[in-house]
Amino acid sequence: MSRLVAFAAIQGGYNIVSKVEGKYKRALQTYNADTKVGFPNTAYFLPVIYSLLGIKVEKLEDMQKPLAFARKLLPPHVKGQNHLPYLGPLLDAGIAALFAFELEEALRYLEEPDFYLPTEEVDEEAGKIWLGAADDTIMRKRGVEFVDGSAPGFAAIVGAAPNAETAKLIVEEYQRRSLYIFCAANQNGTTVIDQLREAGVQVGWNTRIVPFGPDISSAIFALGFANRAAMAFGGVQPGDYKKILKYNKDRIFAFVNALGDVNAEWAAAAAGCVNWGFPTIADTDIPEILPTGICTYEHVVANVKHEDMVQKSVEVRGLKTTVSKIDIPCAFGPAFEGERVRGADLYCQSGGGKTQCTEYLKMAQMNEIEDGKVTVVGPDIKDIKEGGAFPMAIFMQVAGREFQEDFEPILERQTHHLVNYIQGIMHMGQRDIAWVRISKQAVEKGFTLKDIGVVLHAKFHQDFGKILDKVQVTIYTKKEDVDKITAEARAAYKHRDERVENMTDEDVEIYYSCTLCQSFAPTHVCTVSPERTGLCGAYNWMDCKASYEINPTGPNQPIEKGAVVDPKLGRFAGVDDFIKKASRGAIETYNFYSMVNAPMTTCGCCEAIAAMLPACNGVMTVNREYAGETPCGMKFTTLAGVMGGGASSPGFVGHSKFNITQKKFIVGDGGLLRMVWMPKILKEEIKERLIKRGKELGVPNFYDMIADETVGTTEEEILPFLQEKGHPALSMPPLVG
Ligand code: SF4
Ligand code: ZN
């Protein structure tokens, strides 16, 4: 912390308290000690003093006690060579200043009873523009908006902007975010309120722009309003200063904008506000108080440009943007999630083996992206012919002070159900094998690709507002861009997959469920362990863990694995208990490491499906991208259709590509060495890892022993190849014993 700011604030505290002591003394010479004092129509006396100290100031002489309290709070002066003072003394000086301000305003009510207008609206004709303390009627009517969220908080603006347009710009931006704007103090005789009136902006409680008063002391009305709300709506008792301040910090998203030169009195007021968790954002070069402690983030941030003022303030206070309306031409909601887009209804599509379709979510720095910006780079729906297929990359960038790279896959995976929520749009798959089908009805309603971004932005804020602040979406539809993003995405997928590389299922006692896919496959329950990633490939154990942290009541619940019932097949008592419940009795048990005996359930999302090849005494697997025939007699689509509804189908299992080279892959059936056939593209995609696993399993040339479609697509065609290569499956015990 800067010594300068501490010096200024402490000095300010002394100045204010001394000044008000003088005013109080003079008042005692003019008025009787038992003269009534206070703000109009309130049961809360001088509300800041009453709420924090429990002292009721009703008569002039009652001011003595809080004034003495303020004097006592003043910390020792900061001497030239002193070490940096800590936050504590500064906060005390600030509170002392605020108590004095409240007394000063009460004295003004006594001495100039007509100075403030006790209404909600200003009287332009009479030139009465200062409203002073809100009475209890206004406080109840407006305060409830802070409680029900229709007003998230307030911006207390002190001083004046360099000109009227700037003032208007800032204030209107706050209005758009439903904040109240509480205005106080002047800068060389000019106030924001004067500037707004000059710019033709209506001020008053009804436009949420409240002209409290022309002096810095009138800023106290903002805090008095906040503290009364805490007592009235939060049930906090007067005098319970800790609870009052905490209520404000947690519930009222307020902050101060200091416009213009910050003098010692302003500095003291700013320090005082820190006690409420209300930070100050200034447009001048004042010393900053950056470390966190009381406020959610920084305490004082300086030198903020006017065009950045609102965004920065909202960010420093940790105010979350809420997007309540999803502005797209189609209906939207979970009701449409399960809806299909069949051939006859199809207008155009991306992915599904016809073109590349990738979705990739990447964390960004706060200043790197613009919240709510959605761009389509390349052709949009209007440029695509009916029946057409187009490449697409949905590139989502998310930033937030609480956001971590670990959360990327979780948000990315939301694309699936969120895009499905749009009526007339169907989404399948994930990562670089997504598939989006757009219906004629949606196009008739005016759907464009941009709407995908609008949905993602809005829903990410709604569902994950706690962990993110900004969402920007770019949708690429030119092949070269799509390829570029896809390459980048693949590197990220690889990195994510490898985070569980060195963990084993024995290492952990907790596995995680995933029931995200139950809307399509009602009995489907994925159990994700370190060595068995989700069959969609999008969720591994780490991802589920992070997802549970973000959303403890969400689709990823911890499962105590419990007693190991069968270590070879991978069966666990705790898991069985869980899946029985989670599948509503449809599934009694399943094995993690077997496709032959009670395999895990499969949903339509799986990246690949393994099937038995009895004549070869082995298994094959086929990935979604491979559209050709396979030796089990079924194409991927047929296999997925047969078993993708959430059943456990002995002899088949859906799995992720990464899982193939995880150590526990069908280990109950003999493990990876059973693998006799894979499509060439899949083999090549995981080549490096296959070779490595082969070596670990003592078969260094295993990669070359696996047949693909160039060898054959029936068991008869591939068997001679396997024999010639001496494939290990041929000498294993029979697959089905
Ligand atoms: Fe979750 Fe499994 Fe669906 Fe992936 S496939 S999203 S892990 S339920
Ligand atoms: Zn699924």
Side-chain angles (χ1 to χ4, degrees), residues 464-520:
F464 296 92
K466 262 201 329 218
I467 54 159
L468 58 82
D469 296 300
K470 291 182 175 183
V471 179
Q472 176 175 314
V473 182
T474 315
I475 294 169
Y476 296 97
T477 55
K478 282 190 272 190
K479 190 175 179 302
E480 63 269 28
D481 294 331
V482 174
D483 289 347
K484 208 176 127 227
I485 294 285
T486 304
E488 207 189 300
R490 282 182 182 142
Y493 305 151
K494 184 162 181 281
H495 171 74
R496 292 175 193 169
D497 290 344
E498 286 170 359
R499 287 185 305 146
V500 289
E501 185 84 287
N502 296 318
M503 295 179 65
T504 70
D505 284 359
E506 291 77 25
D507 281 348
V508 296
E509 289 309 314
I510 302 283
Y511 297 157
Y512 288 92
S513 64
C514 190
T515 49
L516 214 55
C517 285
Q518 283 198 343
S519 50
F520 283 105

Side-chain angles (χ1 to χ4, degrees), residues 413 416 516-517 520 524 535-536 603-606:
R413 186 71 181 111
H416 179 49
L516 214 55
C517 285
F520 283 105
H524 176 57
L535 53 84
C536 57
C603 72
C605 298
C606 51

Side-chain angles (χ1 to χ4, degrees), residues 548 551-557:
Y548 173 65
N551 182 7
T553 55
N556 302 107
Q557 292 298 312

Side-chain angles (χ1 to χ4, degrees), residues 242-456:
K242 275 194 192 148
K243 276 214 187 112
I244 295 266
L245 296 174
K246 185 152 179 357
Y247 180 90
N248 276 287
K249 178 179 185 261
D250 295 343
R251 305 285 294 272
I252 309 286
F253 283 92
F255 50 84
V256 182
N257 280 172
L259 303 183
D261 292 334
V262 173
N263 60 26
E265 296 199 353
W266 283 26
C273 287
V274 169
N275 289 284
W276 272 253
F278 300 166
T280 292
I281 295 85
D283 62 353
T284 51
D285 190 11
I286 57 165
E288 298 190 307
I289 310 182
L290 296 180
T292 57
I294 311 279
C295 294
T296 311
Y297 302 112
E298 298 86 353
H299 298 112
V300 175
V301 180
N303 244 342
V304 176
K305 289 205 217 81
H306 293 109
E307 59 265 35
D308 301 335
M309 202 78 193
V310 173
Q311 182 58 44
K312 189 72 190 173
S313 299
V314 159
E315 181 198 317
V316 169
R317 183 59 182 96
L319 178 65
K320 297 298 182 179
T321 310
T322 50
V323 187
S324 45
K325 196 173 165 291
I326 294 170
D327 199 10
I328 58 168
C330 306
F332 180 86
F336 307 110
E337 188 181 1
E339 155 216 55
R340 317 262 148 183
V341 176
R342 301 209 163 78
D345 304 326
L346 183 72
Y347 181 82
C348 62
Q349 58 184 324
S350 179
K354 284 152 195 89
T355 56
Q356 181 61 43
C357 184
T358 300
E359 49 210 29
Y360 176 39
L361 186 138
K362 189 170 188 262
M363 174 172 160
Q365 294 307 313
M366 285 289 265
N367 54 6
E368 231 181 304
I369 58 169
E370 194 181 308
D371 185 43
K373 185 170 168 195
V374 179
T375 334
V376 177
V377 182
D380 202 332
I381 299 295
K382 64 173 180 357
D383 314 305
I384 298 162
K385 282 200 303 279
E386 187 173 334
F390 59 99
M392 177 164 67
I394 304 173
F395 181 48
M396 299 155 270
Q397 288 169 287
V398 171
R401 288 177 177 257
E402 311 290 331
F403 201 76
Q404 303 169 17
E405 206 184 82
D406 286 357
F407 300 157
E408 288 176 355
I410 298 139
L411 268 79
E412 186 182 286
R413 186 71 181 111
Q414 308 299 316
T415 321
H416 179 49
H417 74 269
L418 294 181
V419 173
N420 267 317
Y421 277 9
I422 309 174
Q423 186 178 26
I425 313 296
M426 183 176 176
H427 179 285
M428 283 159 288
Q430 57 282 319
R431 287 190 167 188
D432 56 346
I433 53 167
W435 185 5
V436 177
R437 289 165 68 85
I438 296 161
S439 70
K440 289 175 192 157
Q441 294 90 316
V443 174
E444 272 159 30
K445 286 212 178 104
F447 174 83
T448 63
L449 296 179
K450 192 172 179 201
D451 296 326
I452 294 179
V454 171
V455 162
L456 293 169

Side-chain angles (χ1 to χ4, degrees), residues 538-601:
Y539 270 22
N540 63 33
W541 185 85
M542 291 279 237
D543 302 328
C544 292
K545 183 167 177 280
S547 163
Y548 173 65
E549 273 164 29
I550 301 172
N551 182 7
T553 55
N556 302 107
Q557 292 298 312
I559 306 178
E560 251 191 88
K561 73 178 177 193
V564 181
V565 181
D566 189 325
K568 183 155 173 265
L569 296 177
R571 196 159 144 206
F572 309 93
V575 174
D576 282 355
D577 288 345
F578 186 95
I579 56 180
K580 239 176 273 169
K581 265 184 255 143
S583 69
R584 289 166 212 90
I587 311 289
E588 292 275 314
T589 180
Y590 58 47
N591 294 313
F592 279 48
Y593 316 136
S594 176
M595 57 176 291
V596 177
N597 298 301
M600 213 176 264
T601 57

